Amino acid sequence: MTDSKYFTTTKKGEIFELKSELNSEKKEKKREAVKKVIASMTVGKDVSALFPDVVNCMQTDNLELKKLVYLYLMNYAKSQPDMAIMAVNTFVKDCEDPNPLIRALAVRTMGCIRVDKITEYLCEPLRKCLKDEDPYVRKTAAVCVAKLHDINASLVEDQGFLDQLKELLSDSNPMVVANAVAALSEINEASSSGVPLVEMNTQTINKLLTALNECTEWGQVFILDSISNYSPKDEREAQSICERITPRLAHANAAVVLSAVKVLMKLMEMMAPDADFVVNLSKKLAPPLVTLLSSEPEVQYVALRNINLIVQKRPDILKNEMKVFFVKYNDPIYVKLEKLDIMIRLANQSNIAQVLSELKEYATEVDVDFVRKAVRAIGRCAIKVEPSAERCVSTLLDLIQTKVNYVVQEAIVVIKDIFRKYPNRYESIISTLCENLDTLDEPEARGSMIWIIGEYAERIDNADELLESFLEGFQDESTQVQLQLLTAIVKLFLKRPADTQELVQQVLTLATQDSDNPDLRDRGFIYWRLLSTDPAAAREVVLADKPLISEETDLLEPSLLDELVCHIASLASVYHKPPSAFVEGRGLGSSRRALPTRSGSQDILESSPSHGERSGVIPTQESLIGDLLTMDLGGPPVPSSVPATPFASSGLDLLSGGLDGLLSDSPSVPPPQAAPAPSVGLLGDIFGLAPSASTSYVAPKQMWLPAARGKGLEITGTFSRRNGQIQMEMTMTNRAMQPMMQFAVQLNKNSFGLVPAAPLHVVSPLAPNQSYEAVLPLNPTGPVQRMEPLTNLQVAIKNNIDVFYFAVVMPMNIFFAEDGQMDKRVFLSTWKDIPAANEVQYTINNVNMSADAVSSKMQQNNVFTIAKRNVEGQDMLYQSLKLVNGIWILSELKMQPGNPTLILAVKTRAPDVSAGVNTAFDAILHS
Amino acid sequence: MIGGLFIYNHKGEVLISRVYRDDIGRNAVDAFRVNVIHARQQVRSPVTNIARTSFFHVKRANIWVAAVTKQNVNASMVFEFLLKVTDCMQSYFGKVSEENIKNNFVLIYELLDEILDFGYPQNTDTGVLKTFITQQGIRTQTKEEQAQITSQVTGQIGWRREGIKYRRNELFLDVLEYVNLLMSPQGQVLSAHVAGKVVMKSYLSGMPECKFGINDKIIMEAKGKPSADESAARTGKTAIVIDDCQFHQCVKLSKFETEHSISFIPPDGEFELMRYRTTKDISLPFRVIPLVREVGRTKMEVKVVVKSNFKPSLLAQKIEIRIPTPLNTSGVQLLCMKGKAKYKASENAIVWKIKRMGGMKESQLSAEIELLQTDTKKKWTRPPISMNFEVPFAPSGFKVRYLKVFEPKLNYSDHDVIKWVRYIGRSGLYETRC
């Protein structure tokens, strides 16, 4: 006898036949008929017409038959509410049955029948069952309260079921406790007011922790998930919870392990990050996470998605486990892609060699998505681990040689990022890239290639021809490519104006006249206007320094990451989206989870719980940040605190007025300007934001070139920043016997890319014993080369006698940009974001000033006070400043009234500059 | 929580459909079929979100088991549960196939009703389920029997019933290890780990308390035994470093954490006591040395040497080496010193089988592969050479030190229990790139 035959009946008149069988006297026949009905129901046939006949079979002592009838009832009761009433009596009777299995079955089924009239009858039996002597009935009744709450929430509250449910938390049977916890959590979550109906306290948590040791694996999951919503009073309580949960990490069930990880990750937030307890706990977390990778692939997938979060939140936990994330040939594709993601996150200098050889291997696999991701990963490694850049680039070149189309395209996209990160280092490969021009058919790859050509137009002999070839099909390109092409040709024109005028004319016409795309048209007009009004300004705008690109990609925004950490193991952690993004809301708005914060922590700045977004570095997924306009549209929010000086825009027409607004908000407008030049016109207005009277600190002049070495030429000098312009101020004295003339200056490549903005002007001839005060404006727009020390500048001065070389150290404060004020929230999140390792402390002695005086003094030097606090008699100043090359520096000044010693803590992503900043602070405060 | 559970055959026809929650409609069944089973593209994720409804699926053989929900459920729990459902079906009626599911659909519905209540997983231990969900229909139970069942389903020791009696108290321990290896063509170990498990078969009377001892370094040090080095010097056996281990739910985890002792009351019959993972000091039983030479565009020469690396007195069995060949292979000539080798065109591989091989031996295979001229530019990606084997020792060095049985209420002692221990090392993913 096989039951599969029930799936195959398809004849007509089936319903009628079933009807007669259901009413048959023979028990055996009845049972067979009910089975057939259930089989039909399964495959999606409508058998609701048989309702009364099936319900008639309910009164039976055969448990199997009873269960089948109940199954039918659950499916169709809603569509036949009146008929369903017929079943109530049987339910009520069954709830009194001596057999606990039947009592539980009745109460379980009744809760699934969503008919109001039945619900009324449910209350009494449920109340009894919640107090039943048998734990099996109690555990079933506990879930039934949740069912009832789903149907009619107010009924549950009015009838006092919540209190009964709470009592079950102290039940002697662990499974009853677990189900009660599950039901309570669900009811809390669904609460319409957003306020949990049942608050957890220390006692209940203790009870739960006790039950945890004894209940089934699923019960443990319910309990752990529920504990994860509890915020302990203090650090000690958090520690004791952690200690009692840690043994769960050795459970065979991945869900128990991940739920335990969730609780631990959350509670660790309450403790000092360097406490022994946290360090030990972190060590214990790694092995179970690695073990999850040997479970079934589906579980692995969930584990990997969570590990991705954990690696972002606490990179230390898995830093030594790179190897376990190596991809296996037979892994399902979803596991492979996730592993690759984590590999990139874990890559560092010590393991990069291994990672690279793995990635190279993956780049030859079959799955297109995977290969692309692997290629992209190689590029990420180059950007993340500088010493490996060389090898990454050569690996990418090898891959380009394979001529596999999608590999080539992907490689070009990442090489563009590498060029961004390390300008002027790998240009030699451009010719290889150009060979593949014809095969590129994806917009992103085309856009990247065009960007490269535009950026290095001066080094590519036939750049104009190449760009012209793209221009032929301009209309057919995607917007992304069109925008790139427009910018690239303008760049080309600015670099080689002589022979490309026609080309630029052509592209501007195409962009402004033949396109319907407003972005493209606007950008075209802006360029046109800039070029026609003031090519010099256009140069500064279009060829401006690009902001740094960040080392990490696809990092989750910190507040989202924190929220997701609270949802480890759940669907939210798999999607990497907050639950509100995929769950239809029942009181969801209020149930956003947040990590607990450490009490007594120094983050007194925290004025609002929501974190601002990262700033300072531009994430690279904005792949096309070729110039300021894309930045303006797609870049991350920037501190909107550019000094608000009124613009002289009244007399300008609409377009230039708009331009004003656009440019002044944009972060990448180079702050320096050609200060004294009267010819700036429109641009002068745009950039005329500097405060009129600058009193920033200028160091006294020092001897740079003694007369003995300068064949009679003596130079003393210093650096200053006036009205946003870096200047080199020199006193040149002729101590020789003959007049000097034909002065010129040249600067070697330096850390900040300083180049003279104008030729050196010295009165000529400089008569013997005559002195001249020369001022040389400098722009930070030249090629960059790292110097040691960072602020070292090598200068060559030439006159009719000889060329003289000398090196000077620039004070760091001349690089403090005017737009260095950070938004409070951005400051806070950035401060948290920067690893503690980047924090450097200094002491500054002999400062006798009040905090306010310090603050205003610093402000004059473009160090902006974001917040001032007084903690335990100490004044704390939180300050931000921005270097002209886009590096943000955050600092904390601690001062005690009456004590002339200040403590300065500097935090920045580029710790190399910290020392210079300290020296600058010291100098400013003592000036 | 889980809103519904569906089982489909490979064509996407529904075999079982059970809805637990009101927010899941009938159309969810079709949504999954259309968007996942019938999707044109290969499955890219075991979790799919269709119109704010999330579907979790596992596919075993030709059967799709899918759970559906509209809430933010614990995803790892859902998958663990789905896997448990397939285990459970398997233990009830054998292979999870379309035929078996159709034949047992009443039973499956009964099980689903029991192990999932309103989407919350309940006790899924098959040993316990089998005491009251039977295929024989209802047996008349006495009141005591009923009470025993319910206390067991919900009880602290939900995996063992009272009153078990054996005339001969006996237990079997199988230490099963899977060696995983990824080796570079130059013979450098890229990654290696052993995934081991201890499977126990217990036939013991009453409620016996067991204590299990292994040569884990941490445990041995915690026990105050002479340090690993000393005892190694004395017995010639070293303690091993276990990276991580996991236990069956019967093991008292809190005791393991505090006292480093593994104690438990075992379920009756067979179960997996523990799983562990080691990465240090693994003795790799075999090494494969590949040599691939492409001779022009139509010919390839492959030479593979396999070396066994364990005590000469031991014998490895069921050795199989799989050497992938390009898709455009037209013919293969094979020569091997030992065993049998065959080119299997349908699998694009040369399969070389050796029945037995002693320790410290070496064998070689050479093949000439003829290729068809193709115009596809794409290079052949050279999948790794994989290997299967079975050896009679534990490659991690894992040793069972003792297993003591105490049953205070019955009159048998630890000495009366007959104990058997067996070590088996098998290949997991044992690959050498070429």
Side-chain angles (χ1 to χ4, degrees):
Chain A
M1 171 201 111
T2 62
D3 285 351
S4 54
K5 61 174 183 278
Y6 302 125
F7 283 85
T8 51
T9 49
T10 47
K11 51 187 178 219
K12 277 185 194 165
E14 190 193 0
I15 298 278
F16 184 75
E17 204 171 284
L18 279 172
K19 210 178 178 85
S20 73
E21 282 176 32
L22 282 171
N23 290 317
S24 150
E25 286 301 306
K26 284 185 194 149
K27 276 187 180 169
E28 193 51 36
K29 200 152 196 181
K30 251 188 187 173
R31 222 183 66 168
E32 294 301 302
V34 176
K35 278 192 189 176
K36 274 186 211 166
V37 174
I38 300 292
S40 312
M41 194 172 87
T42 298
V43 297
K45 274 184 213 154
D46 183 14
V47 284
S48 60
L50 295 166
F51 200 87
D53 310 282
V54 177
V55 173
N56 271 337
C57 305
M58 195 168 158
Q59 289 266 15
T60 170
D61 48 0
N62 184 326
L63 200 54
E64 190 193 3
L65 182 56
K66 195 168 221 135
K67 283 181 178 172
L68 288 175
V69 175
Y70 280 179
L71 187 61
Y72 179 89
L73 262 177
M74 285 187 261
N75 251 319
Y76 287 115
K78 223 173 152 189
S79 57
Q80 313 253 343
D82 295 330
M83 302 266 222
I85 299 297
M86 290 163 41
V88 167
N89 260 335
T90 321
F91 279 129
V92 176
K93 217 177 92 201
D94 279 356
C95 285
E96 306 275 335
D97 198 281
N99 186 340
L101 293 174
I102 294 191
R103 290 203 296 277
L105 177 65
V107 78
R108 184 163 69 210
T109 314
M110 243 177 132
C112 296
I113 295 178
R114 306 174 66 93
V115 175
D116 283 342
K117 281 175 196 151
I118 291 202
T119 318
E120 284 168 30
Y121 289 99
L122 176 62
C123 292
E124 270 326 297
L126 178 58
R127 205 186 309 280
K128 260 188 226 158
C129 288
L130 281 167
K131 291 196 183 119
D132 201 289
E133 50 166 23
D134 196 295
Y136 183 76
V137 181
R138 289 202 300 276
K139 72 117 184 158
T140 313
V143 177
C144 192
V145 177
K147 293 180 187 169
L148 188 59
H149 188 267
D150 191 40
I151 304 171
N152 189 342
S154 56
L155 191 65
V156 172
E157 285 158 43
D158 298 344
Q159 296 271 336
F161 283 127
L162 286 182
D163 294 324
Q164 276 196 293
L165 201 53
K166 256 187 274 181
E167 278 167 35
L168 290 185
L169 292 181
S170 324
D171 201 284
S172 59
N173 185 295
M175 190 146 174
V176 176
V177 179
N179 276 5
V181 167
L184 276 176
S185 308
E186 173 154 356
I187 292 171
N188 272 346
E189 200 125 309
S191 142
S192 49
S193 58
V195 183
L197 296 166
V198 186
E199 282 285 3
M200 294 280 178
N201 55 32
T202 315
Q203 281 101 15
T204 34
I205 291 294
N206 264 326
K207 281 177 205 156
L208 295 184
L209 286 168
T210 314
L212 188 62
N213 291 325
E214 291 160 354
C215 60
T216 65
E217 43 198 337
W218 314 116
Q220 297 187 16
V221 176
F222 305 154
I223 291 178
L224 288 168
D225 281 354
S226 160
I227 292 178
S228 77
N229 292 335
Y230 170 73
S231 308
K233 291 192 305 289
D234 51 27
E235 204 177 317
R236 187 159 349 131
E237 191 185 358
Q239 277 199 13
S240 91
I241 296 178
C242 286
E243 276 162 9
R244 294 178 69 178
I245 280 175
T246 319
R248 298 297 122 199
L249 294 174
H251 202 284
N253 188 315
V256 177
V257 176
L258 271 178
S259 292
V261 169
K262 162 164 59 187
V263 180
L264 295 174
M265 284 291 287
K266 217 176 151 181
L267 294 184
M268 273 157 87
E269 285 298 307
M270 292 183 67
M271 305 170 200
D274 44 357
D276 287 349
F277 189 81
V278 174
V279 175
N280 282 334
L281 203 52
S282 301
K283 271 187 204 145
K284 283 186 188 163
L285 278 175
L289 287 173
V290 172
T291 301
L292 290 177
L293 298 184
S294 43
S295 36
E296 296 286 325
E298 293 85 4
V299 178
Q300 270 188 58
Y301 174 72
V302 176
L304 285 165
R305 293 293 284 174
N306 280 291
I307 288 172
N308 200 326
L309 297 176
I310 293 167
V311 168
Q312 288 183 54
K313 186 72 197 168
R314 294 190 176 268
D316 284 352
I317 293 181
L318 288 164
K319 64 175 181 227
N320 296 324
E321 303 288 349
M322 168 62 89
K323 271 191 177 180
V324 298
F325 297 101
F326 284 179
V327 169
K328 296 189 186 116
Y329 192 74
N330 292 328
D331 280 339
I333 182 68
Y334 49 82
V335 169
K336 284 186 178 174
L337 292 172
E338 291 306 317
K339 280 188 175 171
L340 196 51
D341 245 358
I342 294 167
M343 278 174 69
I344 309 170
R345 291 203 198 289
L346 292 179
N348 59 35
Q349 199 163 344
S350 63
N351 57 24
I352 193 75
Q354 267 183 329
V355 174
L356 264 183
S357 74
E358 279 295 306
L359 291 176
K360 201 173 169 185
E361 195 79 31
Y362 304 160
T364 60
E365 282 218 26
V366 189
D367 189 283
V368 177
D369 284 350
F370 181 61
V371 170
R372 280 173 176 272
K373 203 162 183 171
V375 175
R376 207 163 268 231
I378 297 174
R380 297 311 310 164
C381 287
I383 289 164
K384 201 173 163 190
V385 188
E386 185 165 348
S388 77
E390 188 92 42
R391 290 181 52 189
C392 295
V393 171
S394 75
T395 309
L396 287 170
L397 280 182
D398 287 350
L399 290 171
I400 288 178
Q401 300 301 351
T402 62
K403 304 273 177 202
V404 178
N405 187 275
Y406 53 84
V407 174
V408 174
Q409 310 215 36
E410 205 63 45
I412 286 182
V413 174
V414 293
I415 285 178
K416 174 211 64 188
D417 285 345
I418 296 178
F419 279 8
R420 278 279 312 273
K421 169 87 181 185
Y422 310 110
N424 306 312
R425 210 189 280 179
Y426 299 111
E427 284 67 49
S428 51
I429 67 172
I430 290 179
S431 60
T432 322
L433 303 185
C434 289
E435 285 166 20
N436 294 287
L437 221 48
D438 306 334
T439 59
L440 307 180
D441 51 12
E442 288 161 20
E444 203 183 351
R446 286 174 84 83
S448 301
M449 192 65 222
I450 293 170
W451 182 88
I452 293 173
I453 298 174
E455 192 64 19
Y456 295 97
E458 69 272 32
R459 320 230 180 152
I460 306 171
D461 293 337
N462 60 343
D464 49 342
E465 285 168 34
L466 294 174
L467 291 176
E468 200 171 358
S469 70
F470 279 108
L471 204 55
E472 281 163 17
F474 191 76
Q475 261 93 357
D476 305 329
E477 300 282 5
S478 72
T479 316
Q480 193 184 6
V481 181
Q482 289 176 336
L483 287 168
Q484 275 312 315
L485 196 51
L486 172 60
T487 307
I489 293 181
V490 172
K491 280 185 196 163
L492 172 70
F493 172 70
L494 289 169
K495 289 175 177 176
R496 288 163 47 182
D499 48 347
T500 55
Q501 189 141 14
E502 200 176 315
L503 193 63
V504 82
Q505 204 67 43
Q506 211 180 336
V507 75
L508 287 174
T509 315
L510 279 168
T512 54
Q513 289 170 18
D514 299 347
S515 167
D516 320 328
N517 185 316
D519 284 350
L520 184 63
R521 241 178 12 227
D522 284 358
R523 195 189 287 193
F525 277 125
I526 288 169
Y527 285 152
W528 202 324
R529 225 187 154 75
L530 266 175
L531 290 173
S532 53
T533 345
D534 184 353
R539 214 180 152 77
E540 286 193 22
V541 171
V542 179
L543 302 181
D545 260 2
K546 278 152 284 294
L548 291 179
I549 72 175
S550 81
E551 296 183 351
E552 300 284 350
T553 30
D554 310 322
L555 278 182
L556 290 168
E557 193 253 319
S559 66
L560 176 63
L561 178 62
D562 285 354
E563 193 184 349
L564 291 180
V565 167
C566 301
H567 288 290
I568 281 176
S570 78
L571 257 184
S573 72
V574 174
Y575 292 144
H576 287 186
K577 283 179 193 159
S580 53
F582 58 91
V583 174
E584 268 146 30
R586 288 187 295 175
L588 268 168
S590 47
S591 65
R592 257 194 96 181
R593 305 229 173 111
L595 283 177
T597 44
R598 189 148 68 89
S599 54
S601 81
Q602 54 192 5
D603 299 325
I604 37 168
L605 279 169
E606 187 142 29
S607 48
S608 89
S610 70
H611 303 279
E613 286 179 62
R614 296 153 52 85
S615 79
V617 260
I618 309 297
T620 40
Q621 54 264 60
E622 282 303 322
S623 50
L624 293 173
I625 314 176
D627 58 40
L628 72 108
L629 288 166
T630 35
M631 282 259 334
D632 202 21
L633 299 169
V638 288
S640 54
S641 52
V642 178
T645 344
F647 298 109
S649 60
S650 50
L652 297 170
D653 65 10
L654 187 68
L655 178 59
S656 58
L659 197 61
D660 259 353
L662 254 175
L663 294 177
S664 62
D665 272 348
S666 159
S668 66
V669 173
Q673 82 228 44
S679 66
V680 198
L682 176 61
L683 262 290
D685 284 341
I686 293 171
F687 291 134
L689 348 135
S692 48
S694 165
T695 45
S696 69
Y697 165 73
V698 179
K701 284 186 177 163
Q702 286 177 323
M703 176 63 72
W704 282 356
L705 183 71
R709 270 184 54 213
K711 298 194 177 161
L713 176 66
E714 181 185 283
I715 303 177
T716 58
T718 186
F719 291 91
S720 70
R721 183 177 185 88
R722 297 187 202 272
N723 296 336
Q725 173 68 54
I726 302 171
Q727 293 177 350
M728 196 158 134
E729 298 178 8
M730 290 175 285
T731 306
M732 308 180 121
T733 313
N734 184 353
R735 303 243 182 249
M737 307 302 287
Q738 51 176 333
M740 296 175 179
M741 55 202 87
Q742 294 162 14
F743 282 94
V745 67
Q746 200 156 18
L747 304 182
N748 203 351
K749 279 192 224 168
N750 53 70
S751 316
F752 291 87
L754 283 184
V755 286
L760 177 65
H761 180 78
V762 181
V763 67
S764 188
L766 186 64
N769 273 332
Q770 188 188 359
S771 282
Y772 181 79
E773 300 288 330
V775 176
L776 179 70
L778 303 174
N779 278 342
T781 49
V784 174
Q785 184 179 18
R786 202 196 140 94
M787 302 296 291
E788 202 55 53
L790 211 59
T791 44
N792 199 4
L793 179 69
Q794 294 171 344
V795 188
I797 299 257
K798 182 184 113 137
N799 61 11
N800 57 333
I801 298 170
D802 204 342
V803 185
F804 310 105
Y805 301 93
F806 57 92
V808 293
V809 173
M810 303 175 277
M812 192 69 108
N813 55 301
I814 60 167
F815 300 111
F816 295 2
E818 276 68 26
D819 58 349
Q821 181 152 20
M822 221 181 220
D823 182 71
K824 239 184 198 180
R825 277 182 299 149
V826 179
F827 182 89
L828 189 62
S829 63
T830 317
W831 183 277
K832 283 186 180 168
D833 238 32
I834 299 175
N838 284 13
E839 185 173 331
V840 196
Q841 284 217 355
Y842 304 96
T843 47
I844 300 177
N845 296 316
N846 297 326
V847 179
N848 290 309
M849 271 190 283
S850 71
D852 290 332
V854 169
S855 173
S856 68
K857 190 154 202 178
M858 299 309 287
Q859 177 106 33
Q860 285 163 9
N861 289 284
N862 295 333
V863 180
F864 300 90
T865 304
I866 307 299
K868 187 187 146 195
R869 299 281 153 150
N870 189 296
V871 183
E872 293 158 7
Q874 287 189 322
D875 279 321
M876 319 271 272
L877 287 181
Y878 293 89
Q879 298 175 316
S880 77
L881 63 99
K882 191 179 131 185
L883 299 186
V884 289
N885 56 2
I887 297 178
W888 282 94
I889 292 149
L890 313 183
S891 68
E892 179 198 78
L893 258 184
K894 224 185 272 180
M895 41 184 28
Q896 257 170 328
N899 183 348
T901 307
L902 269 55
I903 296 175
L904 169 71
V906 179
K907 226 174 170 183
T908 167
R909 285 183 209 281
D912 300 353
V913 302
S914 301
V917 170
N918 171 42
T919 324
F921 268 59
D922 198 299
I924 294 170
L925 288 171
H926 287 112
S927 67
Chain B
M1 280 304 119
I2 298 174
L5 196 139
F6 311 128
I7 302 181
Y8 302 84
N9 66 8
H10 67 286
K11 283 185 264 178
E13 291 164 354
V14 198
L15 304 177
I16 298 286
S17 117
R18 175 76 160 91
V19 173
Y20 292 92
R21 296 223 166 199
D22 200 40
D23 54 5
I24 301 302
R26 184 79 213 178
N27 51 358
V29 186
D30 302 321
F32 182 75
R33 178 187 23 243
V34 172
N35 289 291
V36 181
I37 302 182
H38 291 170
R40 229 171 289 142
Q41 223 200 352
Q42 185 201 354
V43 178
R44 304 302 277 194
S45 158
V47 186
T48 323
N49 193 328
I50 307 163
R52 296 200 148 219
T53 309
S54 300
F55 293 84
F56 300 77
H57 75 262
V58 296
K59 195 185 178 206
R60 294 295 177 265
N62 280 326
I63 299 297
W64 299 76
V65 184
V68 50
T69 182
K70 285 207 162 182
Q71 290 171 305
N72 182 30
V73 298
N74 187 319
S76 50
M77 185 181 79
V78 176
F79 279 125
E80 284 281 357
F81 178 75
L82 289 179
L83 296 167
K84 205 59 123 241
V85 169
T86 51
D87 282 357
C88 196
M89 291 195 288
Q90 197 153 23
S91 117
Y92 262 98
F93 50 75
K95 194 172 166 252
V96 180
S97 64
E98 182 175 351
E99 191 61 26
N100 278 344
I101 288 172
K102 280 183 171 173
N103 277 333
N104 293 284
F105 80 97
V106 175
L107 170 78
I108 295 175
Y109 276 124
E110 201 177 339
L111 278 173
L112 288 181
D113 197 42
E114 186 57 45
I115 59 177
L116 206 56
D117 188 6
F118 201 43
Y120 290 106
Q122 305 293 308
N123 197 332
T124 47
D125 194 278
T126 45
V128 174
L129 286 172
K130 278 179 178 170
T131 60
F132 71 106
I133 293 184
T134 54
Q135 285 168 289
Q136 283 88 43
I138 186 86
R139 276 180 301 160
T140 43
Q141 294 148 325
T142 63
K143 209 158 178 208
E144 288 76 50
E145 277 174 337
Q146 288 163 3
Q148 209 195 331
I149 289 173
T150 56
S151 82
Q152 220 177 86
V153 175
T154 60
Q156 293 185 14
I157 303 171
W159 53 86
R160 187 180 180 94
R161 62 191 166 88
E162 300 251 9
I164 296 171
K165 274 213 173 68
Y166 287 100
R167 285 180 60 191
R168 209 162 106 111
N169 287 301
E170 206 170 6
L171 65 86
F172 299 84
L173 279 176
D174 276 351
V175 177
L176 257 174
E177 294 200 336
Y178 290 90
V179 200
N180 295 280
L181 168 76
L182 185 61
M183 196 177 250
S184 76
Q186 291 75 35
Q188 185 198 2
V189 176
L190 296 173
S191 75
H193 76 271
V194 166
K197 57 182 180 183
V198 179
V199 178
M200 180 168 172
K201 266 184 233 163
S202 75
Y203 304 106
L204 302 169
S205 312
M207 289 300 233
E209 284 218 38
C210 299
K211 271 200 160 177
F212 183 47
I214 55 176
N215 63 337
D216 176 28
K217 208 168 187 175
I218 298 168
I219 294 179
M220 296 200 14
E221 275 164 17
K223 281 278 146 64
K225 291 268 146 75
S227 82
D229 298 332
E230 281 176 51
S231 73
R234 224 164 354 100
T235 60
K237 281 178 216 158
T238 46
I240 62 163
V241 183
I242 289 183
D243 290 26
D244 188 32
C245 51
Q246 295 177 318
F247 298 102
H248 185 268
Q249 55 168 328
C250 68
V251 175
K252 290 166 191 150
L253 291 179
S254 39
K255 225 170 177 176
F256 178 70
E257 178 79 10
T258 52
E259 299 165 28
H260 294 287
S261 76
I262 305 170
S263 62
F264 56 97
I265 296 173
D268 195 37
E270 185 172 334
F271 71 103
E272 195 179 295
L273 174 63
M274 74 177 283
R275 253 187 266 168
Y276 58 92
R277 187 168 47 81
T278 72
T279 46
K280 293 204 180 63
D281 302 324
I282 298 167
S283 66
L284 296 168
F286 286 98
R287 219 192 119 183
V288 174
I289 305 153
L291 199 74
V292 180
R293 209 157 65 91
E294 286 175 41
V295 189
R297 298 191 57 193
T298 59
K299 206 172 141 194
M300 253 172 68
E301 282 176 10
V302 178
K303 205 167 96 179
V304 176
V305 180
V306 84
K307 281 186 181 167
S308 63
N309 185 24
F310 44 87
K311 269 194 244 159
S313 57
L314 299 175
L315 266 185
Q317 296 184 62
K318 299 177 192 166
I319 302 152
E320 183 184 296
I321 298 139
R322 181 172 286 265
I323 305 150
T325 54
L327 298 177
N328 55 338
T329 302
S330 62
V332 176
Q333 265 135 44
L334 287 165
L335 194 74
C336 61
M337 289 154 51
K338 206 169 175 206
K340 276 180 194 156
K342 233 187 204 163
Y343 166 64
K344 296 199 170 164
S346 58
E347 297 165 35
N348 287 312
I350 298 166
V351 181
W352 178 20
K353 286 184 181 169
I354 305 171
K355 271 201 189 118
R356 265 185 277 292
M357 188 164 174
M360 308 315 269
K361 293 255 165 46
E362 177 175 330
S363 188
Q364 186 180 330
L365 168 138
S366 19
E368 264 181 31
I369 302 173
E370 277 156 41
L371 303 172
L372 289 173
Q373 282 247 357
T374 53
D375 47 358
T376 48
K377 270 186 213 145
K378 215 173 149 190
K379 243 181 71 190
W380 178 54
T381 59
R382 288 200 187 175
I385 295 179
S386 59
M387 176 163 190
N388 288 318
F389 56 80
E390 194 178 299
V391 289
F393 61 92
S396 71
F398 185 97
K399 282 275 181 317
V400 176
R401 289 175 48 232
Y402 57 81
L403 199 148
K404 292 179 191 147
V405 183
F406 308 95
E407 166 51 308
K409 287 189 195 140
L410 298 175
N411 56 349
Y412 71 92
S413 75
D414 185 40
H415 299 294
D416 304 328
V417 181
I418 304 162
K419 301 168 189 169
W420 307 86
V421 184
R422 175 165 69 160
Y423 297 92
I424 302 171
R426 289 199 183 123
S427 51
L429 261 186
Y430 205 85
E431 295 181 336
T432 308
R433 287 184 179 151
C434 59

